[in-house]
Structures are given as C-alpha cells and as structure tokens.
Amino acid sequence: MEKINFIDTTNEENMKRYIEKLKELIIKTKTEKKINNFVTIRSDDFLPSDFVWRANGEDLDGVYNMLCIYRKKQETKKSGLFKFLSKSKNVDTTIPETTKFELYSSVKFRSTKHFTINTPLGLTGEYNTVKLDRDFTVIDGIGNFINSGYAYSVSERDAYLDVTHEGLKISDNAIVLISNEKYEQIKDNKEIMETLGKRTLVIYKGDPSAAINMVLAENGILPFRNGIFEYDEEIKSIIQESFNKLCSDYNVKYNVSHGYGGHFTSLIDQYGINDNDLKNFIEYLNNIFPNIKIEYDDVKTKGASFWNEYIDIIGYDAFKNTLNAYNNQKKQIIKNKKQSYINERDSLAPEISNIFKNAIDLIKRYEEIIPFQNPQDPLTQKIVNFYISQDIRVQVDCALSIISLLQEYENNRVK
C-alpha cells in the first residue's frame, strides 16, 4: 500500500479528489466485473505492540471498570451493614465531594476478533452498535485473515475468526490511522510512537469514516460503503458475487451474525465470562481488613451504597491506597501472564496448529448437531474448554477428544 501521512477530510479539494477516485474505481469494477482487493479494517483502543491480534481473556488484558462513585458523608450515622463499627467523627475537608473509584479488571472474554471488509465501522450502524470513537484503526490486506485456517464469516459489515488458539498477524503493509487529536496526546510517548513507527501511519483530521475511505480509494480499493451515495445495482451485484467467490474459495461462510441465534462462538463466549475480579478484590480487602468482612452477595445486592458505607468505615485514604495497591498488583499479574502466553503461542508447533484447525473444521462442519447451550453435554464441555482455556495442553487434549468424537459421528453417518 502507498504511504499516506496526513488526510484532512474537511478540505473541499480532498473531498473532490476522493469522489473522482471513487468514480474511477466504479468504472474499473464494472469493466472487470469482479473485486480482488479486499482489506480488513479494525478500530480498537488497543494497538498490539507486536502487531498480532490476540484473544481477550482473563489473564491477557486489563481495563479500568467503574467500582463506585463515592460521595463524602456530611455526618456519620450508625446504620446499615456496619452499624456495630460506626464511629462519630468530624467531616474531613481534604476529601473531595465525590470520587470515582475504578477496579482494574480483566477484559471480557471473547474468542473471536472482528473486522469490517472495505468498510468503515462508522458506516455499519444498522448492524454494529459498538463504540465507534476508538483510538486506532488498522487497515490490512485480507491475506492473513483468509489464509489463517481460523476464519468463520466475512461480509462488509462484519468478518471474524478464532484467535483463542493462534493470534492473527498484522502484516508489514498495514496502515494505522489515528486522529490528529489523538496524535497530539501520544506524540511524546516513546513506546507508542516506536510501535507506530513499524507501520505506515496516517494522521487524519475530521470524519474517521471519510478518512478510511480516502485511504482505500487512494490505494485502488473500492469502499463498499462510500459515505456519500448508494451504489447502483450493478456494483452491489459485483460486490456480492465477489464475496461469494471469496467464501467458496476459502471455505468461509458469508454474513453470519455473531449475536444471539447466530454463530456458535457467541454461545461459547458466554461460558468464558466470570466475575472473578470483584470476588478477588473482596478477598483482598478481607485479608487487609479482617475485622470488617465483606460478603460478595451483599456487594452485588447493594452496589454503590455498599461501597460508600464501607469507605466511611475503613476511611477514605485507607480504601484509596488499598485499591491502588490491588490495581497495581493486578496489572503486573496480567502483564506477566500475557507475556508467558505470547511466548508459548509464538512458538506453537505446526502439528499442534494442525490439531487445532482440524478440530475447528469439524466443529464448523457439524455445529448443527452440537448442543452448545447444554454445558453438561460431554462434547459441549470439551468444546467450551477448547476455547476458553489458555493452557495449550488443555486445548490440545480437548481438541483430540473433539476430533475423535466428531469423526466417530462422521463415520457412523457414512455407514
């Protein structure tokens, strides 16, 4: 891809150039009656420093989540869960009126990574209701995705693949887009700028969807949604037929929803969701303050009011310092575990990779007969652990069982 360093979507001349490029691409597409240039597009708040898209999991990445908003008490009253420990005390004027406390938690488990194809995320609102204002957008050729052996479905508005067994490499030719505002925030961060320096960096001003489409058009790639006008039926038909051929050539499904009632991995992902972070934090507090035991069910029932009362008992500074200590410890644990995970996955033996892909191929082939919503079913249990476990040995063991069970089913079906 051609290197482009800055795009101003608010510039009238740039928009005119974009429209002219679109017209040229439309003529070319109608002449050739096919599309060969497909790219994946992913917007994300995290840009992997090693340029590999990996799974979200309990020990792989963390994010700050709201724990509570503490409101300073104007007077102390003996009431509620900690009545027996309440003491009258003067109002501390050094404490802010309100404080937002956040718990550093593992990101939500998801076995798949999602992209759009030749289409900005911001132009897929009828399907994608996710957060749009993300820090980084990566445009990459579709080659690594489609040849991975892990791809499930493609369409202009959603394309996804399994990343719980092997990550998806971002190619050397990928382009990273960031807004001018974001660039001003990170330009002095040596670590981030060193990462960005490994790929073509495009800084844009204005509308992100327009910027993405301008990059596509400048590189001879037809945006499947151009943000200005609808394509005629001929172009729509060529796009559809080109997708059909791509899916047929690589044994990938077209436009399978990932929501409820859609792809089977949306059911698998629910088994990987847990509330361990809150439970672990409660256990941590109970060890630090053994005289004020917290019960998990009480926290879940009372929510923010529980934490306000608890903070009043142990003291604002004590809670703040303890939370900070826990968060820092959690960050280090995740950092260490993620590095071990990366090291192990990057050295994955080819024969293990083949076992994983064979198991997934069989699951895809016979998903209709697998009771994914029954966690007690032996095959479902193996499949769930095959996806949610971060231990390669567990995944291999489950994969071999899956292969054995589904091949047995296949053999009996042929007889």
Side-chain angles (χ1 to χ4, degrees):
M1 290 183 176
E2 178 185 343
K3 290 195 173 184
I4 306 169
N5 296 313
F6 183 79
I7 291 178
D8 184 357
T9 70
T10 66
N11 182 284
E12 189 176 338
E13 290 302 313
N14 288 346
M15 288 303 295
K16 286 181 180 178
R17 176 177 170 81
Y18 167 53
I19 293 172
E20 287 302 313
K21 285 283 185 181
L22 269 180
K23 291 177 180 177
E24 292 173 11
L25 289 167
I26 289 169
I27 293 171
K28 180 184 177 185
T29 301
K30 289 185 175 181
T31 301
E32 296 180 350
K33 299 191 181 303
K34 64 179 180 179
I35 293 166
N36 292 320
N37 289 335
F38 292 94
V39 291
T40 60
I41 303 172
R42 179 173 173 82
S43 296
D44 204 312
D45 286 328
F46 300 96
L47 181 67
S49 59
D50 60 351
F51 285 93
V52 179
W53 295 118
R54 301 184 190 277
N56 290 350
E58 186 173 355
D59 297 323
L60 298 180
D61 282 299
V63 65
Y64 281 101
N65 287 323
M66 176 72 72
L67 181 66
C68 69
I69 295 179
Y70 172 74
R71 290 177 172 80
K72 183 172 66 173
K73 214 169 186 180
Q74 297 305 311
E75 59 179 343
T76 304
K77 295 181 180 179
K78 295 184 178 182
S79 62
L81 184 64
F82 302 110
K83 179 178 178 181
F84 69 99
L85 286 165
S86 298
K87 297 177 182 178
S88 292
K89 47 188 169 184
N90 295 326
V91 175
D92 189 343
T93 58
T94 65
I95 299 174
E97 289 296 323
T98 61
T99 304
K100 181 170 70 173
F101 285 113
E102 294 180 314
L103 182 68
Y104 194 74
S105 308
S106 300
V107 296
K108 181 179 177 181
F109 175 80
R110 193 155 199 179
S111 65
T112 53
K113 267 291 186 283
H114 290 246
F115 307 81
T116 53
I117 304 295
N118 291 32
T119 308
L121 181 64
L123 298 181
T124 64
E126 88 289 352
Y127 177 84
N128 290 304
T129 57
V130 296
K131 173 187 172 186
L132 298 178
D133 57 334
R134 300 182 180 184
D135 292 341
F136 306 97
T137 296
V138 179
I139 302 175
D140 199 4
I142 202 171
N144 286 351
F145 176 99
I146 208 72
N147 289 300
S148 66
Y150 293 107
Y152 290 127
S153 175
V154 296
S155 74
E156 70 276 12
R157 63 189 188 179
D158 192 14
Y160 51 95
L161 80 168
D162 167 63
V163 284
T164 61
H165 301 97
E166 295 183 64
L168 177 68
K169 291 182 179 179
I170 300 171
S171 77
D172 293 342
N173 294 324
I175 294 174
V176 181
L177 284 84
I178 61 172
S179 68
N180 188 57
E181 293 80 7
K182 182 62 182 178
Y183 176 74
E184 290 299 320
Q185 295 173 15
I186 66 172
K187 65 181 182 181
D188 295 325
N189 187 313
K190 292 182 179 179
E191 184 178 349
I192 294 178
M193 293 309 297
E194 183 178 338
T195 297
L196 291 172
K198 297 174 183 176
R199 296 297 186 276
T200 297
L201 174 63
V202 176
I203 302 166
Y204 68 87
K205 177 183 178 182
D207 181 62
S209 295
I212 291 167
N213 278 342
M214 285 180 175
V215 171
L216 297 184
E218 286 291 331
N219 286 282
I221 300 164
L222 180 71
F224 290 162
R225 299 186 182 186
N226 60 60
I228 301 173
F229 58 86
E230 273 202 37
Y231 292 125
D232 62 25
E233 292 305 314
E234 184 178 1
I235 288 293
K236 290 180 181 179
S237 177
I238 293 172
I239 292 173
Q240 180 65 65
E241 289 171 4
S242 297
F243 265 127
N244 290 341
K245 185 176 187 310
L246 183 73
C247 292
S248 176
D249 288 347
Y250 292 93
N251 189 29
V252 177
K253 292 186 177 181
Y254 174 72
N255 198 30
V256 179
S257 168
H258 197 256
Y260 179 78
H263 197 262
F264 69 83
T265 48
S266 65
L267 297 172
I268 295 295
D269 288 356
Q270 70 182 340
Y271 297 115
I273 297 173
N274 59 61
D275 203 12
N276 288 341
D277 290 303
L278 181 58
K279 290 177 180 177
N280 290 340
F281 180 55
I282 289 171
E283 183 180 351
Y284 185 84
L285 286 172
N286 285 339
N287 287 333
I288 300 295
F289 305 103
N291 294 327
I292 314 173
K293 288 290 185 181
I294 302 175
E295 295 295 334
Y296 173 77
D297 289 341
D298 290 333
V299 177
K300 293 297 290 185
T301 300
K302 297 188 69 175
S305 63
F306 177 96
W307 290 115
N308 271 261
E309 192 170 353
Y310 183 79
I311 293 167
D312 285 334
I313 297 304
I314 69 170
Y316 176 89
D317 288 335
F319 183 80
K320 179 181 177 181
N321 293 337
T322 304
L323 177 62
N324 287 340
Y326 174 85
N327 285 342
N328 290 334
Q329 177 179 294
K330 177 72 174 179
K331 279 184 183 179
Q332 192 59 49
I333 289 171
I334 286 179
K335 181 179 179 181
N336 293 341
K337 288 188 174 181
K338 181 171 184 177
Q339 192 55 56
S340 297
Y341 175 90
I342 290 173
N343 293 342
E344 193 173 38
R345 299 288 156 166
D346 285 351
S347 59
L348 193 69
E351 56 269 26
I352 301 301
S353 176
N354 289 333
I355 289 172
F356 289 161
K357 291 171 186 176
N358 288 340
I360 288 175
D361 185 61
L362 284 165
I363 295 170
K364 287 163 61 177
R365 200 182 312 166
Y366 296 113
E367 61 181 286
E368 296 301 325
I369 61 99
I370 300 171
F372 291 108
Q373 299 201 53
N374 179 8
Q376 306 307 317
D377 179 80
L379 177 56
T380 299
Q381 288 181 347
K382 290 295 182 182
I383 292 174
V384 168
N385 287 327
F386 173 60
Y387 279 97
I388 71 174
S389 176
Q390 292 171 16
D391 187 323
I392 286 180
R393 290 165 295 184
V394 172
Q395 288 184 324
V396 170
D397 178 68
C398 290
L400 291 173
S401 295
I402 292 164
I403 291 169
S404 176
L405 289 168
L406 289 178
Q407 281 185 340
E408 181 181 357
Y409 169 80
E410 187 174 64
N411 294 336
N412 291 335
R413 190 167 175 236
V414 171
K415 291 178 181 177

